[in-house]
């Protein structure tokens, strides 16, 4: 076992940073998509309900890897048309952008269900109280529903984020230089496959532990002032 | 959308789908068999029995399946003893590597499901069995496990669907399952949208059939009626 990792330590550290960046940007996109999906699914309008339902069903039924490949390779023609339309030389999705979109879409589909559960868990009286005070619908959502929703949705979102972090490894398939891709490069030159993939595994493990700790603290903060039920 | 191309390549895609189903079936059945003793050990009262499966589950749930696949397929060849060992003909074959890794991976998740199920069996039922003079082992086989199986079944069906989607990763170690086949076809036709769309439809249909199948199984086992609610 060579402790300076054959000089690939800094490359792996850069890969870790890239993984974290990718996970966080996919998280942002996914949260927005999830909120929109949940709003569509709980709205009184049938077409919107259908839209939200189809989004979460279809995305959850297809492997994440297929989404990553589809977004990266499938949008080439689309981007070309768009470039023509905008009179630009060429336009293409970088692996980072494609990965963010693909993982964001997948995260959003699962988050739709988590948020929907959270919205439904808020007592009807709160909404009615807002109406009685003369608040508009968006205002009720923004000031009454959303702040309370987080607390309920947080454990579910935490699990999804853990899954998202592991799914970032898939983006190495389209060549983004994150942990897995950097380890693959290191393996080709050092021929020490087990060592480097084990190091990659340990990095993912420590990221998971950090995320778990963060989640625990967030949940503790979100549930301050609430009595924890004993079950 | 070029439908003719999709129809032309449907037979090859269904070949891939068969391999996908094979991998998933192997993994979830072998994983279940592996997970039963682990789940039981994981719900033990003694910390020294609990800690070994805990470490296993922590590793396999905390790292991506892709890393695990690469560790087994590319990583094991680093060791001379593995290359000389009797298992080498299997461990150099991507098919068996994928089966092995997926089994170990899903076993960790199923063990955790089983632990949850075992721990949510009402203690009164176990006490009742003990009071009737059943031995610990009899209680386990006749009371605890049948109850836990019904409690854990919905979560197990979720895990099977997750494994179906995870099996797409086998394409990264050169296996031509559904995703691998789609990528091969795209390399020939340069039509990523059509072929990935068709592969996605295959996954959706398989997932739909599996969900229906598990619904039937739940009805057959009378899961709802056995929850005592």
């Amino acid at each position: 076992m060579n402790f300076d990792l054959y000089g690939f330590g800094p490359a792996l550290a850069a890969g870790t940073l890239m993984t974290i960046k990718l996970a966080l940007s996919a998280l942002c996109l996914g949260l927005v998509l999830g909120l929109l999906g949940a709003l569509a699914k709980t709205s009184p309008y049938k077409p919107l309900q259908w839209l939200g339902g189809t989004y979460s069903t279809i995305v959850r039924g297809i492997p994440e890897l297929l989404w990553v490949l589809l977004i990266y390779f499938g949008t080439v023609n689309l981007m070309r048309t768009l470039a023509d339309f905008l009179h630009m030389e060429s336009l293409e999705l970088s692996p980072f952008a494609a990965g963010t979109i693909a993982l964001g879409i997948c995260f959003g589909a699962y988050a739709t269900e988590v948020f929907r559960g959270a919205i439904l868990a808020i007592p009807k009286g709160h909404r009615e109280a807002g109406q009685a005070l003369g608040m508009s619908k968006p205002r009720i959502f923004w000031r009454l529903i959303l702040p309370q929703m987080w607390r309920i949705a947080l454990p579910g979102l935490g699990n999804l984020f853990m899954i998202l972090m592991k799914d970032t490894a898939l983006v190495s398939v389209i060549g983004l230089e994150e942990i897995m891709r950097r380890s693959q490069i290191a393996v080709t030159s050092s021929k020490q496959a087990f060592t480097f993939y084990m190091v990659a595994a340990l990095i993912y493990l420590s990221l998971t532990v950090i995320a778990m700790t963060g989640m625990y603290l967030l949940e503790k903060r979100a549930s301050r002032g609430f009595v924890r039920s004993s079950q | 959308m070029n439908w003719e191309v999709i129809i032309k390549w449907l037979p090859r895609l269904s070949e891939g789908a068969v391999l996908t189903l094979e991998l998933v079936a192997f993994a979830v059945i072998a994983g279940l068999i592996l997970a039963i003793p682990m789940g039981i050990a994981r719900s033990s009262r003694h910390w020294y029995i609990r800690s070994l499966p805990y470490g296993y589950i922590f590793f396999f749930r905390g790292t991506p399946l892709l890393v695990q696949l690469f560790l087994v397929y590319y990583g094991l060849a680093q060791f001379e003893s593995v290359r000389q060992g009797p298992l080498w003909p299997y461990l150099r074959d991507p098919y068996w590597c994928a089966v092995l890794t997926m089994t170990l991976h899903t076993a960790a998740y199923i063990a955790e499901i089983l632990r949850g199920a075992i721990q949510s069996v009402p203690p009164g039922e176990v006490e009742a069995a003990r009071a009737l003079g059943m031995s610990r082992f009899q209680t386990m086989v006749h009371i605890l496990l049948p109850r836990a199986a019904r409690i854990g079944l919905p979560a197990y069906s979720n895990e099977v669907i997750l494994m179906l989607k995870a099996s797409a990763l086998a394409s990264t170690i050169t296996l031509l399952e559904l995703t691998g086949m789609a990528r091969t076809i795209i390399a020939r036709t340069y039509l990523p949208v059509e072929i990935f769309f068709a592969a996605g439809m295959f996954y959706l249909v398989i997932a739909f059939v599996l969900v229906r199948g598990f619904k039937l199984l739940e009805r057959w086992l009378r899961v709802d009626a056995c929850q005592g609610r």
Side-chain angles (χ1 to χ4, degrees):
Chain A
M1 184 84 182
N2 188 327
F3 280 101
D4 69 350
L5 295 169
Y6 306 91
F8 282 105
L12 284 178
T16 311
L17 204 66
M18 183 56 98
T19 293
I20 295 172
K21 266 196 242 166
L22 177 65
L24 290 181
S25 37
L27 175 72
C28 293
L29 178 64
L31 284 178
V32 173
L33 284 176
L35 260 181
L36 289 178
L39 276 177
K41 250 188 135 171
T42 51
S43 84
Y45 306 108
K46 273 267 145 59
L48 276 181
Q49 283 176 14
W50 181 84
L51 199 69
T54 327
Y55 165 60
S56 79
T57 313
I58 288 187
V59 172
R60 289 188 303 159
I62 293 176
E64 287 80 2
L65 180 63
L66 208 59
W67 280 113
V68 172
L69 294 171
L70 183 64
I71 302 277
Y72 188 60
F73 294 113
T75 50
V76 175
N77 280 331
L78 194 75
M79 296 309 275
R80 200 172 293 153
T81 335
L82 197 66
D84 282 346
F85 184 70
L86 295 172
H87 302 294
M88 281 165 75
E89 196 61 29
S90 73
L91 200 63
E92 57 182 47
L93 277 182
S94 67
F96 185 84
T100 305
I101 294 172
L103 295 181
I105 287 175
C106 294
F107 184 92
Y110 285 92
T112 296
E113 301 300 318
V114 171
F115 280 135
R116 193 179 70 98
I119 290 177
L120 294 180
I122 289 167
K124 223 172 143 193
H126 292 212
R127 196 182 289 269
E128 288 167 357
Q131 280 169 345
L133 285 172
M135 290 163 93
S136 68
K137 267 195 166 171
R139 203 174 165 79
I140 290 177
F141 180 73
W142 200 249
R143 302 299 291 269
L144 286 181
I145 311 289
L146 201 60
Q148 301 193 70
M149 240 171 79
W150 285 115
R151 186 178 59 85
I152 304 166
L154 211 49
L157 291 179
N159 280 336
L160 291 183
F161 183 65
M162 258 29 124
I163 296 172
L164 170 69
M165 199 126 79
K166 288 183 280 164
D167 282 344
T168 56
L170 303 182
V171 185
S172 68
V173 174
I174 56 171
L176 180 72
E177 303 229 305
E178 41 70 80
I179 301 174
M180 268 320 269
R181 183 80 194 144
R182 299 269 185 179
S183 332
Q184 278 170 330
I185 294 168
V187 167
T188 37
S189 74
S190 70
K191 307 285 176 236
Q192 303 283 315
F194 194 85
T195 315
F196 277 104
Y197 292 135
M198 204 55 176
V199 170
L202 292 180
I203 296 175
Y204 280 111
L205 266 187
S206 34
L207 286 180
T208 311
V209 171
I210 294 170
M212 270 163 75
T213 321
M215 242 27 246
Y216 171 76
L217 293 176
L218 267 181
E219 269 172 48
K220 217 167 115 182
R221 187 180 149 74
S223 62
R224 69 198 188 283
F226 283 87
V227 183
R228 214 175 148 178
S229 59
S230 55
Q231 265 287 289
Chain B
M1 195 71 97
N2 191 340
W3 293 98
E4 275 166 37
V5 178
I6 297 181
I7 290 165
K8 185 185 163 204
W9 290 98
L10 268 187
R12 295 304 301 280
L13 280 174
S14 30
E15 271 172 47
V18 171
L19 183 57
T20 292
L21 283 175
E22 232 174 84
L23 287 174
V24 175
F26 247 123
V28 295
I29 292 170
L32 180 63
I33 295 168
L34 205 63
I36 289 172
M38 258 199 303
I40 294 171
R42 178 80 175 80
S43 55
S44 159
R45 279 171 299 154
H46 309 290
W47 68 266
Y48 46 88
I49 298 180
R50 239 175 12 217
S51 57
L52 192 68
Y54 181 80
Y56 176 89
I57 291 169
F58 180 69
F59 179 81
F60 276 94
R61 297 210 317 167
T63 56
L65 179 61
L66 190 68
V67 178
Q68 295 159 16
L69 270 174
F70 280 18
L71 264 178
V72 172
Y73 184 61
Y74 298 111
L76 285 182
Q78 185 181 327
F79 302 109
E80 191 62 33
S81 54
V82 175
R83 269 178 290 159
Q84 305 296 333
L87 286 176
W88 184 234
Y90 294 103
L91 289 177
R92 61 193 281 188
D93 183 358
Y95 179 81
W96 291 111
C97 280
V99 166
L100 175 71
T101 319
M102 283 169 66
T103 303
L104 294 177
H105 180 83
T106 190
Y109 282 86
I110 300 173
E112 201 60 9
I113 291 170
L114 263 178
R115 178 197 59 96
I118 288 175
Q119 286 179 344
S120 56
V121 173
E125 295 182 20
V126 179
E127 283 162 15
R130 299 282 289 151
L132 284 170
M134 284 175 142
S135 70
R136 278 181 168 282
F137 183 72
Q138 277 176 323
T139 313
M140 179 73 86
V141 173
H142 294 293
I143 308 293
L144 205 55
L145 288 183
R147 278 292 266 130
R150 286 178 172 79
I151 296 172
L153 189 62
Y156 180 68
S157 69
N158 270 342
E159 178 57 26
V160 173
I161 303 290
L162 286 180
M163 271 333 267
L164 170 69
K165 300 203 298 167
S167 72
L169 291 182
S171 67
T172 57
I173 55 169
T174 70
L175 272 183
L176 289 184
E177 42 67 73
L178 205 37
T179 305
M181 194 60 96
R183 291 170 78 177
T184 319
I185 296 171
I186 288 161
R188 300 255 308 259
T189 61
Y190 298 106
L191 289 170
V193 177
E194 279 84 352
I195 302 297
F196 279 142
F197 169 79
M201 286 302 124
F202 263 98
Y203 279 111
L204 274 181
V205 169
I206 296 173
F208 181 77
V209 170
L210 281 174
V211 168
R212 273 294 135 101
F214 272 104
K215 279 265 158 62
L216 284 180
L217 184 64
E218 274 177 41
R219 197 177 302 161
W220 183 63
L221 289 172
R222 285 173 299 181
V223 168
D224 281 333
C226 293
Q227 297 299 330
R229 286 194 207 104

